[in-house]
Amino acid sequence: METLKGKNIVLCVTGGIAVYKAVDVVSKLKKLGANVDVLMTKNATEFVSPLTFQSLSHNKVIDDMFSEIKYWDIEHISLAQKADIFLVVPATTNVVGKIANGIADDMVTTTIMATKAKVLIAPAMNTNMYTNPIYQDNEKKLRKLGYLFINPDSGKLACGDIGAGKLADTQDIVDRVEYELMIEEKLKNIKILVTAGPTVEKIDPVRFITNRSTGKMGYAISKQAKLLGAEVTLITGPTNIEKPYVDNIIEIESAEEMYKEVIKNKDVDVIIMTAAVSDYRPKEYIDKKIKKSDNDLVLELGRNKDVLFELGKIKENQLLIGFAAETNNIKEYALKKLKEKNLDLIVANDVSKKEIGFGADSNEVIFFDKNGNEFELEKMSKDLVALEIVNKIIDLLKE
Ligand code: CTP
């Protein structure tokens, strides 16, 4: 989806080894439909040529050429005015220090100084520089003034040191930009708990049983809820997809861990259970690899708790939303689950259809709510289904 169509993003690239990653940020932002103007400090151009950014952004890159000083004056003000958001990727300790202290001596710093748009800074530097109290004070000061930061990751840095200072993942940077530009406050002050993905029930150290689920639907709902201003906690089983930008992510493996975490975090306004929780687990976990023999192997399974059912029993004022993945008798089974689990809404889909459901990017669902309403959505992307679900939640919250 071109979620950033019509948005103007000014990307300031400052000199550090992570400059090459800013190239990926431009490419991802362009794919989302944004217009991207790139400003580079002189040091940044030593790492990657402006031509690379120019080719990807389809805009002239502005760097610090003194010969163009006249052109700067007009250009930096117009960029400062038209930007919906400024990004500084990667941000060196030098640029953060300059902004924090009002030093505007190049194209990047003068333009940032002149803008009223949000400024999102993604620092990347040596770990000792990052933890240096002078840098930390500068960051603190800027945060107080409303500048936004995306924390660096920890890991092995280009200089060989290990610690915090690695540029945040480029997808996380892009997700954060989407969030900052798209946020609407319809769900302000609403706390939402979403579960997603499969659970994994271990048999022995190398084997497990699980349910089919990629986590896409739950992640899409979490993202939409966050974009509408909710405070979102996501409890997720193991998945292979990018985690969404939300307030809190809790990773679990088994259904039992899922149950414990859900109960611990249940004091919210809305709980949405998209997770494919395993109904059974091996009765006994064997802590050494089971060796094969010529005989058949019988695995005895014990029941896991039905998390949603348990929530339904203790529910007070919150909204409880479940999913029903069915292969047949969809309506009958969905309504049965709605009633038995004391839900406000159940979202049913037919997982026997290949082009929707597990792993697919699209879904085709039917809503059944506690008031007896039934509403069928046409086939659409999981992002749009997520938006419909979140909109339905907004309606239910008004009741
Ligand atoms: N669910 C749950 N805990 C379980 C099983 C399911 O909380 N142990 C939740 C799911 O997250 C989903 C809803 O219950 O929101 C329905 O899940 P589904 O697998 O469709 O149905 P089950 O209740 O397991 O029933 P059945 O297997 O008989 O279809």
Side-chain angles (χ1 to χ4, degrees):
M1 259 204 297
E2 293 212 321
T3 49
L4 298 181
K5 207 175 164 117
K7 299 289 184 193
N8 288 306
I9 298 174
V10 177
L11 174 68
C12 301
V13 186
T14 68
I17 187 69
V19 168
Y20 73 98
K21 293 188 186 164
V23 174
D24 189 38
V25 172
V26 177
S27 145
K28 287 190 161 101
L29 292 172
K30 289 297 288 181
K31 279 193 190 127
L32 294 174
N35 174 55
V36 184
D37 283 291
V38 179
L39 300 182
M40 296 179 82
T41 60
K42 187 162 184 319
N43 284 345
T45 62
E46 307 279 336
F47 288 93
V48 173
S49 140
L51 190 60
T52 309
F53 286 101
Q54 193 155 308
S55 314
L56 278 170
S57 69
H58 307 300
N59 283 326
K60 182 170 166 19
V61 170
I62 300 157
D63 54 28
D64 277 324
M65 303 295 286
F66 263 90
S67 56
E68 294 187 28
I69 225 162
K70 270 195 208 132
Y71 164 72
W72 273 26
D73 269 356
I74 321 153
E75 192 70 5
H76 88 269
I77 295 295
S78 79
L79 278 181
Q81 283 171 349
K82 88 169 185 189
D84 293 298
I85 192 166
F86 265 72
L87 301 183
V88 190
V89 183
T92 55
T93 184
N94 188 44
V95 80
V96 173
K98 280 192 198 173
I99 305 170
N101 291 287
I103 299 169
D105 63 351
D106 60 12
M107 191 64 191
V108 164
T109 44
T110 47
T111 315
I112 288 176
M113 198 65 86
T115 193
K116 287 207 154 78
K118 289 183 178 179
V119 180
L120 173 62
I121 299 173
M125 61 195 73
N126 165 276
T127 219
N128 291 336
M129 289 166 102
Y130 181 66
T131 51
N132 187 315
I134 300 175
Y135 170 81
Q136 288 296 326
D137 274 355
N138 286 333
E139 179 174 325
K140 215 180 279 161
K141 179 174 172 189
L142 287 175
R143 279 184 189 266
K144 245 196 202 149
L145 292 169
Y147 287 77
L148 305 165
F149 279 80
I150 181 155
N151 290 336
D153 287 340
S154 290
K156 191 158 194 262
L157 308 177
C159 55
D161 282 1
I162 294 176
K166 220 173 127 151
L167 185 73
D169 185 74
T170 56
Q171 189 60 47
D172 290 348
I173 297 174
V174 171
D175 286 351
R176 180 69 184 275
V177 173
E178 249 188 319
Y179 168 73
E180 295 297 344
L181 291 179
M182 292 171 65
I183 180 166
E184 287 179 64
E185 305 270 272
K186 287 185 194 161
L187 285 174
K188 200 175 171 186
N189 298 327
I190 298 291
K191 289 188 181 154
I192 300 191
L193 174 65
V194 182
T195 67
T199 62
V200 165
E201 313 295 325
K202 288 185 186 156
I203 300 169
D204 70 9
V206 296
R207 303 180 179 95
F208 56 82
I209 49 175
T210 190
N211 280 8
R212 284 189 69 183
S213 168
T214 58
K216 279 182 191 165
M217 197 63 244
Y219 285 21
I221 292 173
S222 306
K223 177 179 166 180
Q224 292 299 344
K226 177 78 185 157
L227 284 176
L228 292 176
E231 185 184 321
V232 180
T233 296
L234 170 65
I235 303 181
T236 177
T239 67
N240 292 317
I241 58 171
E242 286 285 345
K243 305 261 182 316
Y245 172 58
V246 293
D247 299 278
N248 188 15
I249 296 186
I250 301 165
E251 298 188 52
I252 54 91
E253 287 205 338
S254 66
E256 204 176 333
E257 286 166 10
M258 170 72 85
Y259 174 74
K260 278 194 192 138
E261 288 300 334
V262 168
I263 295 300
K264 218 191 277 173
N265 291 281
K266 71 173 181 3
D267 292 328
V268 291
D269 304 289
V270 186
I271 301 182
I272 309 168
M273 286 284 308
T274 77
V277 185
S278 178
D279 290 318
Y280 297 93
R281 67 171 180 281
K283 262 202 160 158
E284 202 188 346
Y285 172 71
I286 314 287
D287 64 4
K288 300 214 167 39
K289 186 181 171 192
I290 302 169
K291 299 310 272 183
K292 66 173 172 289
S293 73
D294 291 337
N295 302 326
D296 288 344
L297 176 75
V298 178
L299 198 60
E300 214 182 329
L301 302 179
R303 263 303 301 264
N304 278 330
K305 280 210 174 81
D306 184 321
V307 184
L308 201 47
F309 180 75
E310 298 299 324
L311 287 170
K313 282 201 293 194
I314 52 174
K315 160 169 144 183
E316 288 173 355
N317 290 324
Q318 68 204 163
L319 287 183
L320 215 50
I321 292 144
F323 273 68
E326 308 294 349
T327 53
N328 55 306
N329 299 347
I330 297 174
K331 182 169 178 175
E332 181 193 333
Y333 289 140
L335 288 176
K336 193 164 171 261
K337 286 176 190 172
L338 179 79
K339 193 158 170 265
E340 283 177 359
K341 302 194 188 194
N342 192 17
L343 308 180
D344 298 275
L345 176 73
I346 191 147
V347 181
N349 68 340
D350 182 348
V351 287
S352 68
K353 292 190 189 166
K354 253 212 202 117
E355 68 284 8
I356 59 170
F358 301 128
D361 287 323
S362 306
N363 209 346
E364 193 179 315
V365 301
I366 314 177
F367 292 170
F368 299 95
D369 73 16
K370 60 172 178 207
N371 307 319
N373 298 315
E374 179 180 333
F375 182 58
E376 188 167 350
L377 293 180
E378 60 191 47
K379 186 176 151 195
M380 56 178 76
S381 74
K382 284 188 175 167
D383 279 332
L384 284 178
V385 173
L387 188 58
E388 294 283 349
I389 292 171
V390 175
N391 280 330
K392 178 73 188 171
I393 291 170
I394 293 173
D395 289 346
L396 289 170
L397 282 169
K398 282 186 199 142
E399 283 178 12

